[in-house]
Amino acid sequence: MSEEQNPTVEEMEQDSAAAESASAEGSSDNLSELEQLQQKLEAAEAKAAEQLDLAVRAKAEMENIRRRAERDVQSAHKFALEGFVDSLIPALDSMEQGLAHEATNDESKAMKEGLELTLKMLLDALAKKQVEQLNPMGEVFNPEFHEAMSMQESPDHEPNTVMAVFQKGYTLNGRLIRPARVVVNKSKPTVNTKA
């Protein structure tokens, strides 16, 4: 073998140094690429999390809208008769006022019976539609359902109880349409001094 074919130690050291230098440059390029990929991955994950959050919020909002619409429809069904019932109340009041008068002869007694039956049929029909008549006679005064027209003292009644009813009240599915107009006892309870 000739010297030209065999590399010298110097040449081998130079080649080794060049290879190490190239390897170091390649690994630094690989490191920079890896950092870029890591940053892109983090950005993509942040965007995906943001999009998921938006999707979850949109779904929750749609669910709220659906529930609200269902509630509105139920309420509309439940209270659709309110105006109609409100317009019937004066007729009911008139019938009850007519029934309050005493029948003096056979003809007026027959008319009164017919009026009582008509009123009962009408109240029964309204009850089927969840309309309730409030007749609080003898009950404790409740400002949510009763309207005090006056207050009087009476030893025969408990304090704060309804002594008389001017007009009966009405509710539809628990919602007040008209309060009962009443007279309330304002006397204080008697204190028993005997022991």
Side-chain angles (χ1 to χ4, degrees):
M1 264 199 204
S2 68
E3 278 186 33
E4 291 176 10
Q5 291 179 344
N6 287 333
T8 64
V9 174
E10 268 181 29
E11 290 175 342
M12 285 175 50
E13 285 177 358
Q14 288 175 352
D15 286 345
S16 174
E20 283 179 17
S21 172
S23 173
E25 285 177 17
S27 70
S28 113
D29 285 346
N30 286 343
L31 186 61
S32 139
E33 253 181 65
L34 186 61
E35 286 174 354
Q36 288 176 355
L37 287 175
Q38 184 67 30
Q39 288 173 353
K40 285 181 181 180
L41 177 63
E42 288 172 2
E45 285 176 344
K47 186 158 181 102
E50 181 182 330
Q51 294 299 320
L52 179 63
D53 183 54
L54 288 173
V56 168
R57 287 175 190 261
K59 183 178 179 184
E61 183 64 25
M62 290 302 295
E63 187 65 24
N64 288 339
I65 290 170
R66 185 189 62 76
R67 281 192 206 124
R68 200 173 308 123
E70 280 179 5
R71 198 173 355 167
D72 290 347
V73 167
Q74 287 174 349
S75 182
H77 281 86
K78 204 173 185 183
F79 300 110
L81 293 175
E82 188 170 356
F84 178 69
V85 172
D86 195 36
S87 65
L88 282 180
I89 290 174
L92 293 168
D93 291 340
S94 249
M95 293 173 92
E96 289 182 342
Q97 287 173 356
L99 289 170
H101 295 289
E102 195 171 317
T104 55
N105 58 33
D106 289 341
E107 187 179 324
S108 61
K109 286 180 184 176
M111 285 184 69
K112 188 172 183 176
E113 284 179 22
L115 194 56
E116 286 173 344
L117 287 172
T118 303
L119 179 62
K120 183 184 179 324
M121 287 172 52
L122 187 54
L123 289 174
D124 288 346
L126 289 172
K128 287 179 184 176
K129 299 296 181 185
Q130 284 68 46
V131 176
E132 291 183 40
Q133 188 180 57
L134 303 175
N135 186 7
M137 184 66 180
E139 295 177 9
V140 174
F141 176 73
N142 180 350
E144 290 180 24
F145 294 103
H146 309 150
E147 181 180 348
M149 302 306 286
S150 70
M151 295 186 79
Q152 298 175 358
E153 288 189 26
S154 171
D156 299 334
H157 296 89
E158 290 292 317
N160 205 31
T161 58
V162 175
M163 297 175 13
V165 178
F166 287 131
Q167 287 182 325
K168 294 176 182 171
Y170 293 89
T171 61
L172 172 62
N173 288 307
R175 181 190 285 182
L176 186 67
I177 294 177
R178 183 184 79 185
R181 296 184 172 124
V182 299
V183 177
V184 181
N185 182 17
K186 70 175 180 177
S187 67
K188 295 179 181 150
T190 56
V191 179
N192 189 356
T193 55
K194 296 179 185 178

